């Protein structure tokens, strides 16, 4: 019975997403004609769809730790990744002046397609050409003063309960090339409410807990290489992840 209720909750959540997307679509389609000019408006609509759907699904977000951030600066934001809810969480905590870099399959999703055709970056990690193009797009956005969200694990792994997996090099190379700080975000328990896409265990309402760690500069002592920066970020995020799970 509990599994059935969780599945019904999941389908209701997807229904809310589709409902708000349908309401916004005429405006989105108009703005998508000139995505560079309308970048922030498109991002604001993406945020509205995400947060409205979360509220109706009974999901609340609580930030356990957050430094005093200067959002006039742009960051490369690196969250761990265990749930599709992670996308909504990032829309909650980051001002709408950022792009996601995500898997190319999101171009086939009826909701995310328009965003990945306009303000977000799709990448096929099995293609060196696609990875290079995505890297150049990300580099351009950073130079324009926008923030970039990249899930450094690269995917939601099949392991359950999830652990934090080794990080890909991409976001840390972008950080060192552009001298942009990495902003680590640890999403502690999204997987307990909705793991991956939800189709295995369903969904339940509750509070999502996350911690925003201090920005990490790519040119601090000991961060001479991309790998040094990646190791430092991983160490801090994994420590925060494990401390929450032990509490």
């Amino acid at each position: 019975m509990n599994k059935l209720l969780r599945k019904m909750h999941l389908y209701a959540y997807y229904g809310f997403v589709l409902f708000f997307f349908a309401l916004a679509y005429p405006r989105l389609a108009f703005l998508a004609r000139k995505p560079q000019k309308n970048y922030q408006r498109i991002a604001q609509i993406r945020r509205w769809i995400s947060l409205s759907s979360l509220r109706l699904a009974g999901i609340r977000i609580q930030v356990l730790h957050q430094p005093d951030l200067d959002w006039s600066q742009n960051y490369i934001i690196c969250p761990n990744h265990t749930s599709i809810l992670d996308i909504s969480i990032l829309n909650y905590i980051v001002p709408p002046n950022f792009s996601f870099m995500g898997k190319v399959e999101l171009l086939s999703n009826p909701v995310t397609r328009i965003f990945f055709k306009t303000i977000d970056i799709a990448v096929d990690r099995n293609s060196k050409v696609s990875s290079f193009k995505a890297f150049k797009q990300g580099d351009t956005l950073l130079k324009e003063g926008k923030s970039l969200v990249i899930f450094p694990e690269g995917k939601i792994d099949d392991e359950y309960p999830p652990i934090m997996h080794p990080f890909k090099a991409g976001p840390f190379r972008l950080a060192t090339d552009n001298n942009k700080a990495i902003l680590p975000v640890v999403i502690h328990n999204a997987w307990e409410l909705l793991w991956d896409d939800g189709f295995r265990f369903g969904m339940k309402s509750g509070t999502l807990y996350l911690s925003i760690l201090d920005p990490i500069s790519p040119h601090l002592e000991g961060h001479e290489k991309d790998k040094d920066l990646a190791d430092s970020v991983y160490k801090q995020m994994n420590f925060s992840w494990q401390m929450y799970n032990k509490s």
Side-chain angles (χ1 to χ4, degrees):
M1 184 63 177
N2 185 52
K3 188 173 182 180
L4 176 62
L5 290 175
R6 289 184 63 126
K7 285 294 181 72
M8 292 173 63
H9 196 152
L10 175 71
Y11 296 137
Y13 170 67
Y14 281 136
F16 298 147
V17 173
L18 287 171
F19 172 74
F20 288 113
F21 177 75
L23 284 181
Y25 185 78
R27 179 67 172 163
L28 274 175
F30 175 77
L31 295 173
R33 298 175 184 177
K34 297 180 179 179
Q36 286 189 313
K37 178 182 177 182
N38 298 313
Y39 179 98
Q40 194 153 0
R41 293 175 182 173
I42 295 171
Q44 287 169 340
I45 292 174
R46 180 183 61 191
R47 185 177 194 270
W48 176 74
I49 293 169
S50 294
L51 300 189
S52 299
S53 303
L54 279 187
R55 291 189 189 102
L56 284 186
I59 303 293
R60 299 170 299 280
I61 298 174
Q62 183 172 339
V63 181
L64 300 177
H65 171 79
Q66 179 172 340
D68 187 15
L69 295 170
D70 179 8
W71 286 113
S72 67
Q73 298 184 35
N74 58 330
Y75 301 95
I76 297 176
I77 302 159
C78 288
N80 60 311
H81 199 20
T82 63
S83 169
I84 61 167
L85 295 177
D86 298 336
I87 296 171
S88 295
I89 293 169
L90 271 298
N91 277 302
Y92 175 81
I93 62 174
V94 184
N97 189 38
F98 74 95
S99 293
F100 285 100
M101 184 180 290
K103 59 186 181 181
V104 71
E105 288 82 358
L106 292 168
L107 286 170
S108 302
N109 182 293
V111 174
T112 56
R113 175 182 172 83
I114 194 166
F115 300 108
F116 278 87
K117 282 285 190 180
T118 53
I119 62 172
D120 294 328
I121 302 171
V123 56
D124 180 356
R125 291 185 172 89
N126 295 317
S127 166
K128 290 183 178 180
V129 173
S130 176
S131 297
F132 177 76
K133 288 181 177 179
F135 184 90
K136 295 301 291 182
Q137 285 180 269
D139 185 81
T140 298
L141 287 173
L142 289 170
K143 286 179 169 57
E144 291 174 353
K146 299 177 178 68
S147 292
L148 190 61
V149 172
I150 306 177
F151 295 100
E153 293 167 284
K155 64 177 182 178
I156 299 175
D157 200 77
D158 294 333
E159 187 168 358
Y160 186 90
I163 62 172
M164 198 171 296
H165 290 270
F167 291 167
K168 308 294 185 183
F172 308 101
R173 183 181 166 197
L174 278 169
T176 53
D177 285 358
N178 290 276
N179 194 24
K180 296 297 180 183
I182 295 284
L183 184 63
V185 177
V186 183
I187 303 169
H188 296 295
N189 69 326
W191 64 275
E192 294 179 327
L193 304 186
L194 193 166
W195 178 62
D196 196 0
D197 58 12
F199 287 114
R200 182 174 173 184
F201 298 120
M203 179 184 183
K204 65 178 182 179
S205 60
T207 302
L208 291 169
Y209 296 100
L210 64 106
S211 298
I212 304 172
L213 308 186
D214 292 331
I216 301 175
S217 169
H219 295 311
L220 289 175
E221 185 177 351
H223 294 169
E224 286 82 6
K225 300 178 181 178
D226 302 346
K227 187 178 185 304
D228 297 330
L229 180 60
D231 289 345
S232 178
V233 174
Y234 179 87
K235 183 178 179 180
Q236 293 187 39
M237 289 180 64
N238 196 44
F239 177 78
S240 177
W241 168 268
Q242 292 184 4
M243 288 300 293
Y244 174 86
N245 289 328
K246 288 179 182 178
S247 62

